[in-house]
């Protein structure tokens, strides 16, 4: 009897240790996923959509990728359907690399609540769909908007705008300083984006850039503009090699909710925005990606020449 | 207490091991739901006629017949076909997996697809032209069995201006095309809208010996009309020195002389043969041509610097300065019978004697009256039948105390062979623009208040206005008679033709 019991115990222990054994692999079964990205702009009739796909490294041939070629991309607007055409971009740096993109060269939507729907049908029948609503068009409130930098009797530079109708989305502003830098005897055009402010984080000065909001105005700290100007030639003692355009350009984008998320996810150099993978925000049914709509408007603001020359820079007057 | 025996112990152990075996490998594994495979339904949709919009379940697909709807759900679908102006149609169908199903709709078999065109005109009996094809249909009439679409309909009726319109024919409906035809038996108008002229603003008129009408325009060259044919000459299709035409005259050799803002063009045998401007004459930098007169084969041209003589291609400028210090010649006419050239120079009329083709340098200042000294001689013409000169004078434009532009009182003057007779015309802002003599010796004077027809200085036979004639503009700029006796009238609003010989 004891022999039988011992045998059973041994068998049970053997089963315990061997029955759950399996060949574990960290690589899961490959499953192809697709993404569609398209932001419709209200300030141009050229619109671009791109298709991406996950890629099986083992069996892959990029040219056979359903997202790469042969997709039908259509846009529904009012009672018309627009078919995207396709084109290839070759990268100079990687001569064998190309990107297929789909484009429309005859479509410019009206602003203010127009429904846009997109559908990309890949050649394997997979459909990616999305919809969005165009944001309202913009107009600057020139009465309230600051005229010069540095502002007169104010610590901030104000930009204010209005939408033409009640349908308002999200707005994001961008103030850019245009300048020419002398490199090897020739001037090159460059831009410096100005943050709304700088904040101190553990002794480090971190720029804070505008993020999408519902507010129809934005105030830049005068000190932020000063610091941004200083940064242009921070490590260069030849300040006179820099010519700052007398007019800086402020651009405001009106974004629908989808584009707003997309914009936030792609903001750079801003530690106060969570830098997420854009695929984390998707409004594409049947896959991933973003379909959104934006309109933009811009206004120039003039630098006081003495302010620019106080940094050692030259001022560049446009015709 | 009862002890477990060995047999029971073995059974208990086997059950425990089995339970352990069954549950020991259970793991918590997170898995995504399986990706749904694309639907495999395919539907081929075709129609007669083709190019219908294909709607799938109420939504336009962006496709037109014939086309395939790929990868659609394997279920029942509503297919609708729509085409502008055409009858719609719909069908329910099942898409089967992996099977290409077809739908074909032949609209042409349905009588309701066709529409009707009803032709109505005023007056009746107009011939109907459809899409540039003359038919044997006369108004009023109805044409059935028309395919939906847009048609260009034109009505033609003798002695009436053809008129056209677009007609939209829709399935199962009657479209009525009602057009009124303008009676052109006596009066005809030519405009940008009706005749496709490049401009409505006519500046001068002439008729050549081929009975072709030359209409100079303010900025678009020349309009040439012969019968129903209209042609254009401008600086783009010819060497015309300017598109601003000031005067056109035809000489005895049927050479057409075209005075422009930038020189004189000589047109003969179908093309411009010579240009006279500042580059080949003494006109230097100002080649504006105001007037042209003919003395046998010599051409006298009124310019800003005096009279330019052209004789067999040779040019000579007679610079003239009148008593008032002016030199711009605004009007010229030549009386070959007395070898005289009559000229209007700002503020005066000067008469020159011609000897051996040359202008005698001392001109005679015609004693019309001191009151005419401030007037511009706009036009002067010789009535061949009685040798009388008719001259149109207008006060130079100026501004009154209220800063309004005024033209002053114009005068109409006639030289009766021994003295000048004159008549002050009634309206202060009247401008006399052109004068011609018809074969029946009537003098026709265009003005900014209509067309005067008179035989004597004092009596106006008829004043043609918008309300009593076929002209629809009172702002007339030129008048000329063609070889058929038709009076052509230029205006700032178009060109008019008055077939007075056909009027009862």
């Amino acid at each position: 009897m004891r022999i039988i019991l011992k045998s059973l115990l041994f068998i049970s222990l053997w089963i315990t240790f061997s029955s759950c054994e399996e060949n574990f692999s960290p690589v899961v079964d490959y499953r192809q996923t697709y993404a569609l990205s398209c932001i419709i702009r209200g300030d141009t009739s050229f619109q671009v959509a791109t298709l991406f796909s996950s890629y099986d490294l083992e069996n892959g041939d990029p040219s056979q990728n359903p997202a790469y070629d042969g997709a039908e991309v259509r846009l529904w607007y009012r009672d018309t359907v627009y078919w995207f055409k396709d084109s290839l971009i070759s990268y100079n740096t990687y001569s064998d690399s190309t990107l297929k993109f789909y484009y429309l060269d005859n479509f410019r939507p009206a602003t203010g609540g127009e429904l846009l729907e997109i559908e990309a049908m890949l050649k394997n029948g997979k459909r990616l769909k999305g919809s969005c609503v165009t944001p309202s068009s913009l107009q600057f409130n020139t009465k309230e908007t600051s005229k010069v930098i540095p502002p007169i009797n104010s610590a901030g530079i104000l930009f204010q705008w209005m939408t033409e109708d009640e349908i308002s989305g999200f707005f994001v502003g961008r103030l850019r300083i245009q300048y020419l830098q002398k490199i090897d005897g020739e001037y090159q055009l460059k831009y410096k984006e100005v943050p709304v402010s700088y904040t101190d984080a553990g002794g480090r000065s971190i720029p804070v850039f505008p993020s999408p909001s519902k507010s129809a105005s934005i105030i830049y700290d005068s000190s932020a503009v000063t610091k941004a100007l200083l940064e242009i030639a921070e490590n260069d003692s030849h300040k006179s090699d820099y010519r700052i355009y007398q007019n800086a350009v402020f651009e405001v984008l009106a974004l629908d909710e989808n584009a707003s998320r997309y914009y936030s996810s792609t903001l750079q150099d801003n530690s106060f925005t969570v830098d997420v993978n854009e695929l984390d925000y998707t409004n594409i049914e049947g896959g991933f990606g973003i379909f959104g709509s934006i309109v933009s408007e811009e206004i120039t603001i003039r630098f006081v020449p003495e302010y620019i020359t106080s940094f050692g820079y030259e001022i560049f007057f446009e015709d | 207490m009862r002890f477990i025996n060995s047999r029971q112990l073995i059974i208990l152990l086997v059950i425990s091991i089995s339970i352990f075996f069954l549950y020991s490998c259970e793991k918590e594994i997170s898995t995504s739901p399986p990706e749904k495979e694309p639907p495999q339904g395919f539907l081929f949709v075709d129609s007669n006629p083709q190019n219908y919009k294909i709607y799938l379940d109420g939504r336009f697909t962006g496709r037109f017949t014939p086309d395939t709807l790929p990868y659609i759900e394997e279920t029942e679908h509503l297919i609708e076909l729509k085409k502008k102006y055409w009858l719609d149609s719909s069908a329910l169908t099942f898409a089967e997996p992996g099977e290409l199903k077809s739908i074909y709709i032949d609209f042409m078999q349905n009588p309701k697809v066709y529409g009707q065109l009803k032709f109505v005109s005023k007056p009746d009996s107009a011939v109907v032209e459809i899409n540039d094809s003359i038919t044997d249909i006369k108004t009023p009439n109805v044409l059935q069995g028309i395919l939906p679409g847009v048609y260009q309909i034109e009505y033609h009726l003798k002695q009436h201006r053809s008129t056209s319109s677009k007609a939209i024919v829709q399935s199962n409906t009657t479209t009525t095309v009602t057009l009124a035809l303008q009676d052109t038996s006596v009066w005809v108008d030519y405009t940008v809208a009706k005749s496709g002229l490049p401009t409505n603003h006519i500046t001068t008129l002439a008729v050549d010996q081929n009975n072709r009408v030359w209409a100079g325009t303010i900025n678009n060259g020349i309009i040439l009309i012969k019968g129903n044919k209209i042609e254009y000459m401008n600086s783009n299709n010819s060497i015309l020195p300017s598109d601003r035409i000031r005067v056109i005259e035809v000489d005895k050799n049927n050479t057409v002389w075209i005075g422009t803002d930038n020189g004189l063009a000589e047109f003969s045998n179908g093309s411009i043969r010579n240009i006279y401007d500042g580059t080949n004459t003494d006109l230097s930098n100002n080649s504006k041509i105001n007037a042209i007169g003919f003395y046998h084969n010599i051409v006298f041209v009124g310019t800003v610097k005096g009279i330019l003589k052209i004789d067999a291609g040779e040019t000579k400028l007679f610079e003239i300065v009148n008593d008032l210090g002016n030199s711009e010649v605004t009007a010229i006419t030549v009386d070959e019978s007395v070898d005289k050239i009559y000229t209007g120079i700002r503020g005066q009329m000067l008469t020159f004697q011609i000897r051996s083709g040359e202008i005698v340098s001392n001109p005679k200042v015609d004693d019309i009256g001191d009151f005419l000294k401030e007037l511009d001689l706009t036009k002067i013409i010789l009535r061949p039948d009685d040798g009388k000169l008719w001259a149109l004078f207008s006060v130079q434009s100026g501004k009154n105390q209220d800063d309004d532009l005024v033209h002053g009182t114009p005068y109409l003057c006639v030289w009766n062979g021994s003295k000048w007779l004159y008549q002050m015309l009634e309206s202060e802002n009247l401008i006399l623009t052109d004068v011609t003599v018809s074969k029946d010796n009537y003098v026709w004077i265009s003005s900014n208040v209509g067309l005067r027809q008179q035989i004597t200085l004092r009596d106006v036979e008829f004043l043609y206005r918008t309300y009593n004639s076929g002209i629809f503009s009172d702002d007339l700029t030129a008048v000329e008679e063609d070889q058929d006796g038709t009076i052509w009238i230029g205006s700032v609003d178009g060109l008019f033709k008055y077939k007075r010989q056909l009027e009862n």
Side-chain angles (χ1 to χ4, degrees):
Chain A
M1 187 64 195
R2 279 182 183 218
I3 294 169
I4 294 170
L5 283 172
K6 279 183 180 175
S7 301
L8 279 170
L9 194 63
F10 177 77
I11 291 166
S12 66
L13 286 172
W14 182 81
I15 289 170
T16 302
F17 288 105
S18 64
S19 64
C20 294
E21 187 182 317
E22 60 180 80
N23 291 323
F24 174 75
S25 167
V27 179
V28 296
D29 289 341
Y30 171 70
R31 201 179 81 193
Q32 196 154 26
T33 53
Y34 304 98
L36 167 66
S37 173
C38 178
I39 301 292
I40 300 293
R41 295 187 63 102
D43 56 353
T44 174
S45 58
F46 189 80
Q47 314 292 350
V48 174
T50 46
L51 284 166
F52 305 97
S53 135
S54 58
Y55 177 56
D56 187 352
L57 285 168
E58 288 180 9
N59 308 312
D61 175 0
S63 64
Q64 298 305 310
N65 190 329
Y68 177 81
D69 198 9
E72 290 179 348
V73 184
R74 286 172 288 173
L75 180 82
W76 278 261
Y77 173 69
R78 294 180 177 168
D79 57 351
T80 306
V81 179
Y82 294 86
W83 289 74
F84 281 72
K85 302 167 195 171
D86 56 12
S87 188
L88 275 176
I89 294 177
S90 296
Y91 292 105
N92 292 332
T93 44
Y94 308 103
S95 57
D96 57 343
S97 295
T98 54
L99 171 69
K100 191 104 179 177
F101 72 96
Y102 297 82
Y103 69 95
L104 283 178
D105 55 6
N106 61 346
F107 178 68
R108 186 175 182 171
T111 52
E114 293 284 349
L115 176 66
L116 302 171
E117 295 172 275
I118 197 167
E119 180 183 293
M121 191 180 72
L122 311 186
K123 64 183 177 187
N124 62 359
K126 182 77 184 168
R127 280 184 162 87
L128 306 172
K129 299 179 187 176
S131 67
C132 68
V133 173
T134 57
S136 305
S137 62
L138 306 166
Q139 200 172 11
F140 279 99
N141 181 350
T142 50
K143 194 176 172 187
E144 297 296 331
T145 295
S146 300
K147 309 286 188 301
V148 292
I149 302 174
I152 299 162
N153 300 327
S154 172
I157 301 147
L158 172 69
F159 296 96
Q160 194 177 82
W161 56 89
M162 298 161 287
T163 54
E164 283 186 357
D165 47 52
E166 293 298 315
I167 305 156
S168 56
F170 292 81
F171 306 105
V172 62
R174 181 171 69 172
L175 178 63
R176 292 200 303 174
I177 299 168
Q178 304 175 90
Y179 65 97
L180 298 166
Q181 184 183 352
K182 196 174 188 179
I183 300 172
D184 298 331
E186 290 197 355
Y187 282 101
Q188 292 182 8
L189 178 63
K190 293 188 174 182
Y191 297 94
K192 172 72 178 176
E193 190 162 345
V194 180
V196 286
S197 63
Y198 285 83
T199 189
D200 185 71
R204 261 177 69 216
S205 181
I206 296 172
V208 180
F209 288 95
S211 57
S213 81
K214 293 235 172 205
S215 172
S217 64
I218 193 166
I219 298 176
Y220 284 80
D221 285 350
S222 296
S223 59
V225 180
T226 303
K227 186 161 175 50
L229 277 165
L230 283 169
E231 285 175 352
I232 287 176
E234 198 168 21
N235 301 314
D236 193 342
S237 58
H238 299 97
K239 306 289 185 197
S240 59
D241 285 351
Y242 295 82
R243 291 181 176 176
I244 310 295
Y245 276 67
Q246 193 192 15
N247 289 322
V249 178
F250 177 76
E251 180 188 31
V252 62
L253 300 177
L255 316 144
D256 74 335
E257 194 172 343
N258 306 312
S260 161
R261 288 175 171 175
Y262 175 80
Y263 188 91
S264 294
S265 72
T266 55
L267 265 185
Q268 294 178 352
D269 301 331
N270 186 346
S271 301
F272 288 84
T273 297
V274 180
D275 193 8
V276 293
N277 186 322
E278 67 191 65
L279 296 184
D280 286 356
Y281 288 119
T282 176
N283 66 334
I284 297 297
E285 182 189 325
F288 296 99
I290 290 292
F291 178 56
S293 175
I294 62 173
V295 294
S296 70
E297 194 64 47
E298 64 178 37
I299 194 170
T300 57
I301 185 165
R302 193 163 47 84
F303 282 117
V304 173
E306 291 76 16
Y307 174 62
I308 295 298
T309 53
S310 70
F311 293 90
Y313 302 139
E314 291 185 2
I315 187 142
F316 183 76
F317 297 97
E318 291 171 88
D319 291 336
Chain B
M1 191 172 175
R2 193 179 162 199
F3 288 97
I4 299 169
N5 61 29
S6 301
R7 186 184 173 87
Q8 286 172 322
L9 186 66
I10 290 167
I11 292 168
L12 189 65
L13 203 59
V14 167
I15 291 169
S16 301
I17 290 168
S18 301
I19 291 168
F20 183 79
F21 179 74
L22 287 171
Y23 285 93
S24 64
C25 293
E26 190 178 308
K27 291 188 287 188
E28 285 190 8
I29 299 171
S30 167
T31 54
S32 301
E35 189 80 10
K36 193 182 167 192
E37 285 300 314
Q40 295 298 316
F42 288 81
L43 205 55
F44 177 72
V45 186
D46 197 3
S47 65
N48 180 28
Q50 294 180 333
N51 213 29
Y52 261 82
K53 283 180 171 178
I54 305 172
Y55 286 72
L56 176 67
D57 299 325
R59 181 184 171 92
F60 178 40
T61 58
R63 300 174 192 276
F64 296 81
T65 60
D67 204 348
T68 300
L69 306 181
Y71 299 106
I72 60 174
E73 295 289 340
E74 301 101 337
T75 181
E76 188 180 55
H77 292 287
L78 173 66
I79 301 295
E80 292 170 282
L81 298 185
K82 295 181 182 179
K83 189 172 181 173
K84 202 173 183 183
Y85 311 134
W86 290 69
L87 205 64
D88 296 347
S89 187
S90 60
L92 280 171
T93 187
F94 275 91
E96 305 289 348
E99 183 187 329
L100 177 63
K101 207 160 181 181
S102 293
I103 288 181
Y104 175 74
I105 297 175
D106 189 352
F107 288 89
M108 308 302 277
Q109 299 299 319
N110 185 349
K112 287 185 176 176
V113 160
Y114 301 93
Q116 294 188 114
L117 269 172
K118 186 176 179 184
F119 305 108
V120 178
S121 72
K122 189 177 179 184
D124 286 343
S125 303
V127 173
V128 178
E129 181 181 317
I130 304 174
N131 288 351
D132 298 328
S133 296
I134 294 283
T135 68
D136 54 2
I137 303 167
K138 286 191 174 179
T139 59
N141 214 322
V142 176
L143 187 60
Q144 296 177 325
I146 306 283
L147 287 175
V150 181
Y151 291 85
Q152 182 73 24
I153 307 297
E154 190 160 1
Y155 293 163
H156 304 280
L157 185 62
K158 201 173 178 185
Q159 303 285 7
H160 288 76
R161 182 188 292 278
S162 297
T163 184
S164 65
S165 175
K166 277 195 168 66
I168 295 171
V169 175
Q170 293 180 294
S171 289
N172 206 25
T173 57
T174 301
T175 304
T176 304
V177 185
T178 305
L179 296 171
L181 289 93
Q182 183 187 346
D183 185 346
T184 56
S185 56
V186 176
W187 288 92
V188 184
D189 53 272
Y190 300 83
T191 61
V192 172
K194 291 180 180 174
S195 316
L197 301 188
T199 176
N200 283 331
H201 197 151
I202 307 298
T203 52
T204 184
L205 286 167
V207 178
D208 67 19
Q209 290 169 14
N210 303 319
N211 208 24
R212 184 161 55 169
V213 177
W214 295 65
T217 69
I218 188 75
N219 234 346
N220 296 81
I222 298 166
I223 300 161
L224 297 139
I225 302 175
K226 186 170 184 188
N228 293 325
K229 193 175 175 186
I230 301 179
E231 294 176 325
Y232 306 102
M233 182 194 297
N234 53 50
S235 56
N236 288 326
N237 63 13
S238 72
I239 56 169
L240 199 63
S242 166
D243 287 326
R244 183 177 285 262
I245 311 299
R246 301 181 63 82
V247 59
I248 303 174
E249 297 289 350
V250 183
D251 68 16
K252 290 171 188 167
N253 302 317
N254 202 28
T255 297
V256 182
W257 298 83
I258 304 157
T260 75
D261 251 18
N262 192 31
L264 179 74
E266 179 187 352
F267 180 96
S268 64
N269 299 323
S271 63
I272 295 174
R273 302 288 169 188
N274 286 308
I275 300 290
Y276 301 94
D277 58 16
T279 62
N280 56 3
T281 69
D282 293 330
L283 293 176
S284 62
N285 59 352
N286 195 340
S287 307
K288 189 171 82 171
I289 307 297
N290 291 329
I292 301 163
F294 305 109
Y295 177 77
H296 302 293
N297 288 323
I298 298 171
V299 184
F300 290 109
V301 184
T303 74
V304 291
K305 295 180 76 175
I307 300 172
L308 180 73
K309 178 190 150 192
I310 302 172
D311 186 2
E314 297 293 319
T315 65
K316 183 178 179 182
L317 181 66
F318 294 90
E319 293 190 56
I320 301 162
V321 180
N322 68 7
D323 295 349
L324 303 169
N326 296 323
S327 61
E328 181 168 4
V329 177
T330 55
I332 283 182
T333 197
V334 180
D335 187 348
E336 288 181 347
S337 63
V338 292
D339 299 321
K340 278 187 176 173
I341 178 166
Y342 302 93
T343 63
I345 300 180
R346 290 208 176 280
Q348 270 183 333
M349 189 174 102
L350 301 183
T351 305
F352 298 87
Q353 197 67 42
I354 304 171
R355 283 187 198 144
S356 305
E358 296 293 329
I359 294 174
V360 173
S361 56
N362 292 323
K364 178 179 181 297
V365 179
D366 278 289
D367 182 21
I368 302 177
D370 283 346
F371 55 89
L372 291 178
K373 279 198 169 179
E374 297 302 319
L375 302 182
D376 275 347
L377 178 57
T378 336
K379 289 279 176 183
I380 184 166
I381 194 167
L382 180 70
R383 184 157 68 180
D385 192 57
D386 58 6
K388 286 182 179 175
L389 286 168
W390 287 68
L392 315 182
F393 285 88
S394 290
V395 170
Q396 292 170 36
S397 301
K399 288 189 175 179
N400 64 13
Q401 56 192 13
D402 296 326
D403 212 30
D404 298 325
L405 189 68
V406 293
H407 301 290
T409 307
Y411 280 83
L412 181 59
C413 302
V414 172
W415 173 254
N416 70 357
S418 57
K419 66 175 181 178
W420 280 100
L421 306 173
Y422 58 86
Q423 185 185 16
M424 186 176 75
L425 300 179
E426 60 280 1
S427 169
E428 276 200 348
N429 284 319
L430 176 71
I431 304 171
L432 304 176
T433 53
D434 197 12
V435 59
T436 195
V437 178
S438 57
K439 292 182 192 71
D440 53 3
N441 281 324
Y442 275 107
V443 176
W444 300 79
I445 300 165
S446 59
S447 75
N448 63 340
V449 286
L451 180 68
R452 301 163 68 95
Q453 178 190 3
Q454 53 197 102
I455 200 93
T456 64
L457 178 65
R458 309 280 177 209
D459 304 315
V460 177
E461 188 87 10
F462 197 82
L463 180 62
Y464 296 86
R465 303 289 303 272
T466 52
Y467 52 79
N468 62 7
S469 73
I471 55 176
F472 58 74
S473 170
D474 279 337
D475 205 349
L476 307 181
T477 54
V479 59
E480 194 64 59
E481 185 193 37
D482 70 14
Q483 291 166 10
D484 301 327
T486 297
I487 302 294
W488 292 78
I489 305 136
S491 81
V492 298
D493 300 306
L495 178 64
F496 307 99
K497 183 165 77 171
Y498 175 29
K499 295 183 272 187
R500 57 192 283 259
Q501 70 279 17
L502 300 178
E503 194 172 43
N504 292 326

